[in-house]
Amino acid sequence: MIGNIYAIAAVAIIGGGLFGFDISSMSAIISIPQYKCYFQSGPVPDDHSECTGPDSDVQGGITAAMPGGSWLGALCSGYISDIFGRKKAIMIGAGLQMIPAIGLFCAMFFLPESPRWLGRKDRWEEAHAVLTLVHGKGDSNSPFVLRELQEIREMVEFEKRNSDVTYLELLKPHMINRTHIGVFTQIWSQLTGMNVMMYYITYVFLMAGIKGNANLVASSIQYVINVAMTVPALLYVDRWGRRPTLLVGSTLMMTWLFANAGILASKGHWAGPEGVQHTKEASWVVAGAASKGVIACSYLFVASYAPTWGPVSWIYPPELYPLRVRGKAVALATSANWAFNFALGYFVPPAFVNIKWQTYLVFGIFCLAMTVHTFFMFPETAGKTLEEVVDIFEDPNGIKNVGTPAWKTHISTRRTVMLEHNKFDQAAEVEKGAGYHEESPNRSGSEAVKVKA
């Protein structure tokens, strides 16, 4: 059994890698003659290079089918994993996908089960053994292992006492603000236009005059940029904080989207009813230095999304909620992501045909709206415990049902870093100096929380 946490994470992200492969494959094939002829909306011509492909709304439906299935899967995954366990649920999904997911399926045999799930099934000895394997380096009495095991015990007892939670609780006055922030984090992540632009990047490059294999190579570069620019976020996002990262990302993306709209509007022209190379979605033509500007702005857009909204939109929602409603709240936020992915996947091809370069204006305005929304409503959660986040939203001196104004919240990672390195005494001193003390009131169903003195 493998206990190295990096090896476990490496296997766990294979599924995310397969999702990225889906997007890149889709964007690569939608402009090739074989695809166009297979989905030809009318009779297939003898010369396959003359195929026009599916109508724009049909193309949207084809692309949207993938996120639509993901949305349905996201709704079902919570129930399935609770029944079968996290490990077996992943194995079932990998088995259904088969090749190349067979590698994930085989690797899961060598990984331990989730200790939290084992705890929920009263298999405490196995949970303790897993924690020892992963975190204790063979020492079952490691302070970190014992502390983690105790937290899991408390969480399991807490969940048993709060098993009556429903989605309606997320709409209660004291929770509605947190619910809307989590849901809109995922919605805004889609409304940046990143995923759909990656689906249809070949259309954009056709407009810029890049054709054939050169188009596929140019499209592939953006995936390299996406992967490379995600690395800084993995290393530094806890130091940057959630709010600054989101605000910088949305501002930069808005800049590149408006720049592309301006270039296309001022330097381009309509490509005619058949589009570029019989691709109706490539409805606008730009050449020369302007085409290079469109390509550059497209790459800069990806480079701005990858270290900001890309990872933070998944990190942020789970940090917003108390444990009682956390599972259902995160599931709701995730389903919003896939629902909007589905909608936008369907919307963009007809948009390129009907409103042409103004499509960039639509997404640019979305980025402007999300910048304003984030500044006024999204509090900082980096370095804070769930209890401290509860304090933000339930601040008696703050705005009713909102709490501390978002722009007055700040990052605090020093104490968290000490806890991660088992420096519990130093962390307690930092906590004491920050004005925290232990109490045991029943806030949001919790048996013990930390509140500001």
Side-chain angles (χ1 to χ4, degrees):
M1 195 68 70
I2 296 174
N4 184 285
I5 195 166
Y6 296 105
I8 295 173
V11 172
I13 64 172
I14 291 176
L18 294 175
F19 169 67
F21 180 77
D22 290 342
I23 295 178
S24 61
S25 299
M26 188 181 304
S27 67
I29 67 172
I30 60 176
S31 62
I32 64 176
Q34 294 88 337
Y35 175 87
K36 290 182 178 180
C37 291
Y38 186 85
F39 289 103
Q40 175 76 5
S41 57
V44 178
D46 294 332
D47 183 357
H48 284 192
S49 65
E50 300 296 322
C51 289
T52 60
D55 292 336
S56 58
D57 56 343
V58 175
Q59 176 60 64
I62 293 170
T63 306
M66 190 274 287
S70 298
W71 169 74
L72 180 61
L75 292 179
C76 299
S77 63
Y79 297 102
I80 293 174
S81 59
D82 280 342
I83 295 172
F84 294 103
R86 304 300 187 264
K87 174 179 174 180
K88 290 182 180 178
I90 294 175
M91 290 170 65
I92 291 172
L96 292 174
Q97 294 178 73
M98 296 303 290
I99 300 173
I102 194 67
L104 176 61
F105 178 79
C106 294
M108 290 305 300
F109 284 106
F110 300 97
L111 300 187
E113 181 56 86
S114 163
R116 295 179 184 273
W117 183 82
L118 290 170
R120 291 191 185 103
K121 303 302 180 182
D122 289 326
R123 294 158 62 176
W124 291 107
E125 291 184 2
E126 294 177 62
H128 192 179
V130 170
L131 290 173
T132 301
L133 175 68
V134 176
H135 297 294
K137 297 180 179 179
D139 181 8
S140 60
N141 295 315
S142 164
F144 186 90
V145 169
L146 296 178
R147 181 186 180 94
E148 188 75 9
L149 184 64
Q150 182 59 30
E151 288 181 357
I152 292 174
R153 287 184 183 275
E154 292 173 357
M155 183 200 68
V156 170
E157 291 299 320
F158 173 82
E159 289 179 345
K160 288 180 179 178
R161 292 196 304 272
N162 293 277
S163 58
D164 59 335
V165 65
T166 67
Y167 280 104
L168 291 177
E169 189 163 332
L170 298 174
L171 303 179
K172 291 183 177 179
H174 73 286
M175 284 301 304
I176 189 68
N177 184 44
R178 274 171 276 193
T179 301
H180 116 269
I181 293 172
V183 168
F184 264 91
T185 300
Q186 294 285 15
I187 290 175
W188 286 133
S189 176
Q190 289 299 325
L191 292 180
T192 62
M194 172 62 174
N195 277 343
V196 291
M197 289 303 179
M198 294 186 79
Y199 291 150
Y200 303 121
I201 192 66
T202 53
Y203 296 157
V204 177
F205 287 163
L206 273 177
M207 297 182 206
I210 300 178
K211 303 173 183 178
N213 290 335
N215 193 324
L216 298 181
V217 172
S219 303
S220 300
I221 292 173
Q222 73 163 351
Y223 294 102
V224 176
I225 294 173
N226 191 24
V227 172
M229 291 302 296
T230 302
V231 174
L234 299 178
L235 298 175
Y236 301 112
V237 69
D238 285 333
R239 298 183 186 180
W240 298 341
R242 312 296 185 246
R243 275 175 56 83
T245 303
L246 294 175
L247 289 169
V248 169
S250 59
T251 302
L252 289 175
M253 287 186 289
M254 174 183 65
T255 301
W256 310 130
L257 289 166
F258 283 147
N260 257 352
I263 293 171
L264 291 170
S266 61
K267 302 296 182 180
H269 60 85
W270 185 44
E274 296 301 318
V276 180
Q277 287 192 328
H278 305 286
T279 302
K280 294 180 181 179
E281 291 79 7
S283 57
W284 208 253
V285 177
V286 65
S291 69
K292 296 177 182 177
V294 169
I295 296 169
C297 287
S298 298
Y299 287 155
L300 288 169
F301 174 81
V302 174
S304 300
Y305 177 88
T308 58
W309 281 85
V312 176
S313 63
W314 295 101
I315 297 171
Y316 190 55
E319 298 175 338
L320 296 171
Y321 308 103
L323 289 177
R324 173 176 169 82
V325 298
R326 189 181 188 186
K328 284 184 169 55
V330 172
L332 180 64
T334 302
S335 69
N337 177 291
W338 289 114
F340 273 77
N341 194 323
F342 172 86
L344 291 174
Y346 190 92
F347 155 78
V348 168
F352 274 137
V353 172
N354 295 305
I355 63 175
K356 305 171 182 63
W357 61 267
Q358 290 97 324
T359 303
Y360 280 102
L361 285 181
V362 172
F363 288 111
I365 292 170
F366 281 146
C367 285
L368 174 61
M370 74 180 69
T371 302
V372 175
H373 190 196
T374 300
F375 180 83
F376 286 105
M377 298 303 299
F378 286 34
E380 183 58 71
T381 58
K384 294 178 172 60
T385 64
L386 291 178
E387 292 80 17
E388 291 164 9
V389 173
V390 169
D391 288 338
I392 292 174
F393 287 106
E394 299 184 5
D395 182 0
N397 298 318
I399 303 170
K400 184 178 180 181
N401 294 327
V402 172
T404 305
W407 61 90
K408 292 185 178 180
T409 59
H410 305 284
I411 184 174
S412 56
T413 58
R414 184 182 174 193
R415 182 165 60 88
T416 304
V417 170
M418 290 180 175
L419 288 172
E420 289 176 348
H421 290 83
N422 294 332
K423 297 179 180 179
F424 302 121
D425 294 336
Q426 295 96 317
E429 288 298 321
V430 172
E431 183 177 302
K432 182 177 179 180
Y436 291 89
H437 66 281
E438 295 286 346
E439 290 188 355
S440 299
N442 226 355
R443 178 187 303 168
S444 297
S446 177
E447 63 178 1
V449 297
K450 294 175 183 174
V451 295
K452 287 201 172 184

